[in-house]
Each structure stands twice: as structure tokens, then as C-alpha cells.
Amino acid sequence: MAGSSVHAPLFPVPVGATLVSLLGSGSVCRVARVRVGGRDVACKRLLPHLRDVDEAKRTLLREARALELARHPSVPALAGVGSDAAGPFVLESVVEGVSLRALKQYWSGSV
């Protein structure tokens, strides 16, 4: 069926990239670890229902601009910005460490 999500890929990776793993999903974006040119980066994409929403696209681009300006070991570095048939995406360096969810659980005592 045309337009059916049943046959849609789990995470549409940009051309030239290979899916390594899914990292997470929020209310606006999904994030996956992808390999591009032998290097792992995080690929952030708008959720399918938001990919054509102008305000969501502007927000994603604002985040990319902020990453371009930020310089801190705990903040991902911008690795690229693009758009394809699956919509806009941002490539960021992968910052290893404990997730915000795990920290929140730890500090709330629910671990």
C-alpha cells in the first residue's frame, strides 16, 4: 500500500549512512546512532507527523545552530544538517555517558 507505515523503515538513515542502533524517541524527534564514513554519529529526525510542519523544522534548525556555537565536552558537536525524502535531519557527535532518564531515576531514588 502506498503511504503505509507497515513497510516504512524503522529509522530512515541519510544516504551514505548505516543504521547502528536506535537511541531514543521523544515528543518531537527520534534519534539513532548511524555510521557515516567509518564514524558513528547521532542522527536526529523529526517524527513522521511533524516532518512537514514548518515550526518543527525551524526548531530543529535552531538546535543545529546552537550546537554549532556550543563548545563543551557534554554537548554534542554538529556534524551535519540535511534533508531527504524522509524529511530534515541533524547529525551530531555521540556523547557517551549516563542518560538523563537514568540520572533522574537515580536522584529520585527509584533505582
Side-chain angles (χ1 to χ4, degrees):
M1 281 191 312
S4 170
S5 62
V6 174
H7 301 292
L10 188 58
F11 188 92
V13 297
V15 172
T18 304
L19 179 65
V20 175
S21 65
L22 293 175
L23 296 176
S25 185
S27 60
V28 177
C29 291
R30 288 188 296 172
V31 183
R33 181 184 289 244
V34 300
R35 187 159 295 132
V36 180
R39 182 175 137 203
D40 283 8
V41 294
C43 180
K44 183 178 283 189
R45 284 196 178 271
L46 294 172
L47 293 173
H49 70 280
L50 295 173
R51 74 178 189 189
D52 295 320
V53 177
D54 288 339
E55 183 58 29
K57 291 190 282 189
R58 281 192 295 273
T59 299
L60 188 64
L61 288 176
R62 265 195 310 272
E63 181 178 328
R65 285 188 201 106
L67 290 177
E68 191 173 34
L69 297 173
R71 299 285 183 262
H72 190 277
S74 297
V75 177
L78 182 66
V81 176
S83 186
D84 56 21
F89 60 87
V90 174
L91 300 175
E92 311 171 359
S93 64
V94 176
V95 177
E96 302 292 348
V98 179
S99 72
L100 183 58
R101 178 178 290 142
L103 283 175
K104 190 174 166 184
Q105 289 173 341
Y106 175 80
W107 287 108
S108 69
S110 61
V111 175

